[in-house]
Amino acid sequence: MATLNDNYLKLKAGYLFPEIARRVNAFAEANPDAKIIRLGIGDVTEPLPAACRDAMVQAVEDMGNRDTFKGYGPEQGYAWLREKIAANDFQARGCEISADEIFISDGSKCDTGNILDIFGDDNIIAVTDPVYPVYVDTNVMAGHTGDANEKGEYGGLVYIPITAENNFTAAIPTQKVDLIYLCFPNNPTGATATQEHLTAWVEYAKANGSIILYDAAYEAFISDPSLPHSIYEIPGAKDCAIEFRSFSKTAGFTGTRCAFTVVPKTLTAKAKDGSDVELWKLWNRRQATKFNGVSYIIQRAAEAVYSEAGKAQVKALIQFYMENAQIIREQLTAAGLSVYGGENAPYVWVKTPQGLSSWDFFDKLLQTCNVVGTPGSGFGAAGEGYFRISAFNSRENVEEAMQRITAKFKV
């Protein structure tokens, strides 16, 4: 009889966002007239930039002509897109990243899990707490953890709390770890990392032979000019870090799927025989074996992000969502709630009022305000007592949601 991967049985009952969907659907069925405003899952609501849409239309036309038709593309992504990314996202910021160190994919969520394919099973892995659940769950699936305790913490992982008490800063571990997941601007707290803080992480990683898995999916929302957008702005990071980027929130590609991962050619890890092996070669082999690439049409749309029109339209899109975040911050703060984030990230992190647990606040907000957010405990034990509100929605919905919440929960 076929057997299964028992590691999946260690996963908690439901992945965070499907559980949110289950509760919301049950409420909607019982209250069909309720106007539910969803500020939970970080899905965009505004149309794709016109430059991207126009590029997709042209690419569809290309696919209808034998001379310009595209079949299988390079698994690493088309050179013309990788070159635009290298020039605009990295070289323009002083980062020595070349086009062939960039791998186009269908999502950074996928990449942050798939990257485990090239690492061994005996690494000590550190995650922040709270944390984007994919980092933890994919390690559980891969057999890198023990069982979860009553707080939901898995044996074998090193948890680094980020809370109001430490200003949402990921403290450098006192022990040696091998793989480190960092996400800045942070999902879910909206916190950012300074140049000095990332420098300390790079120095730690180089001193301990560690690899930083740096998720920069929200870097485009940074407005503070003193904050780094890429870990490669830190000297030495090319020797100890892999960076993940996405077009999902930057340009509204959640439904069209395009992202990329940067694996510097200077980055190595130890084989069991003690030799140093280039991770670029392993990731390149992994992608060529397990991935057939992102469609030509979508890559042309992503390329248009870097056109003059595309840059202006993306900037306007980001500004719109950040204005939403400002409204959320200001309204909830005026209501007397403790509010964090939302200044260089599209997420606002709220201390739950009235001593409510994260899930109790979720249920109360849904039932009394018909507003959906994300319970902080779903991101880890240190997220208990907090709540994430997303700025991804229409202006009308954001303003209406804030009116409802502040009327019910004004302190």
Side-chain angles (χ1 to χ4, degrees), residues 16-315:
L16 173 62
F17 299 115
E19 174 60 18
I20 290 173
R22 184 191 70 77
R23 295 191 187 204
V24 173
N25 291 338
F27 177 82
E29 289 176 8
N31 302 273
D33 295 329
K35 182 190 175 185
I36 299 173
I37 299 176
R38 301 169 191 265
L39 299 175
I41 296 175
D43 195 1
V44 296
T45 58
E46 304 309 295
L48 282 172
C52 299
R53 300 197 306 269
D54 291 344
M56 292 173 75
V57 170
Q58 180 56 56
V60 169
E61 292 298 320
D62 292 346
M63 297 298 278
N65 185 311
R66 180 182 292 275
D67 293 334
T68 53
F69 173 80
K70 298 291 187 297
Y72 288 124
E75 295 90 351
Q76 302 82 0
Y78 286 100
W80 34 262
L81 175 55
R82 299 163 84 192
E83 289 164 0
K84 290 278 177 43
I85 292 169
N88 287 274
D89 289 335
F90 296 101
Q91 293 164 10
R93 300 193 66 85
C95 307
E96 296 180 357
I97 297 297
S98 62
D100 61 356
E101 294 175 310
I102 295 167
F103 294 80
I104 309 300
S105 76
D106 57 357
S108 56
K109 175 181 179 179
C110 306
D111 285 354
T112 56
N114 291 334
I115 199 71
L116 296 175
D117 283 2
I118 66 172
F119 288 106
D121 295 332
D122 53 355
N123 288 301
I124 300 173
I125 299 163
V127 296
T128 57
D129 181 12
V131 67
Y132 184 41
V134 173
Y135 309 156
V136 172
D137 287 356
T138 52
N139 274 287
V140 175
M141 293 171 178
H144 297 165
T145 75
D147 293 325
N149 62 21
E150 66 281 356
K151 294 194 297 183
E153 297 171 332
Y154 285 94
L157 295 182
V158 175
Y159 289 87
I160 304 172
I162 49 175
T163 64
E165 287 69 32
N166 63 12
N167 199 30
F168 300 100
T169 300
I172 304 296
T174 56
Q175 67 189 98
K176 182 182 181 300
V177 298
D178 303 306
L179 296 179
I180 305 156
Y181 287 87
L182 294 179
C183 174
F184 290 107
N186 185 254
N187 177 17
T189 69
T192 53
T194 64
Q195 187 92 7
E196 294 74 19
H197 186 56
L198 286 187
T199 296
W201 272 109
V202 168
E203 290 175 350
Y204 170 88
K206 293 188 71 174
N208 289 276
S210 312
I211 302 292
I212 297 171
L213 304 176
Y214 192 75
D215 188 346
Y218 300 96
E219 60 78 29
F221 293 87
I222 295 174
S223 58
D224 185 338
S226 72
L227 296 174
H229 288 241
S230 169
I231 197 165
Y232 301 122
E233 293 178 49
I234 310 302
K238 284 188 66 175
D239 299 326
C240 65
I242 293 172
E243 184 164 303
F244 306 91
R245 293 276 192 104
S246 174
F247 293 98
S248 286
K249 311 300 166 57
T250 303
F253 274 50
T254 57
T256 49
R257 313 307 303 145
C258 196
F260 58 91
T261 292
V262 182
V263 183
K265 289 189 174 181
T266 54
L267 192 58
T268 64
K270 292 288 184 184
K272 286 188 176 180
D273 64 5
S275 62
D276 292 321
V277 178
E278 294 179 23
L279 291 178
W280 183 93
K281 291 181 178 179
L282 299 187
W283 185 243
N284 187 58
R285 177 59 188 270
R286 189 267 172 207
Q287 292 298 84
T289 302
K290 289 189 173 185
F291 186 57
N292 269 340
V294 175
S295 81
Y296 169 75
I297 295 167
I298 299 303
Q299 290 193 63
R300 281 299 186 192
E303 181 193 28
V305 167
Y306 300 103
S307 66
E308 289 306 309
K311 289 178 181 178
Q313 291 159 14
V314 167
K315 182 178 180 180

Side-chain angles (χ1 to χ4, degrees), residues 39 328 332 346-350 373-374 387-391 402 405:
L39 299 175
I328 295 169
L332 296 184
Y347 296 122
V348 177
W349 190 239
V350 184
T374 311
F387 199 77
R388 192 191 77 176
I389 297 179
S390 166
M402 291 306 102
I405 294 173

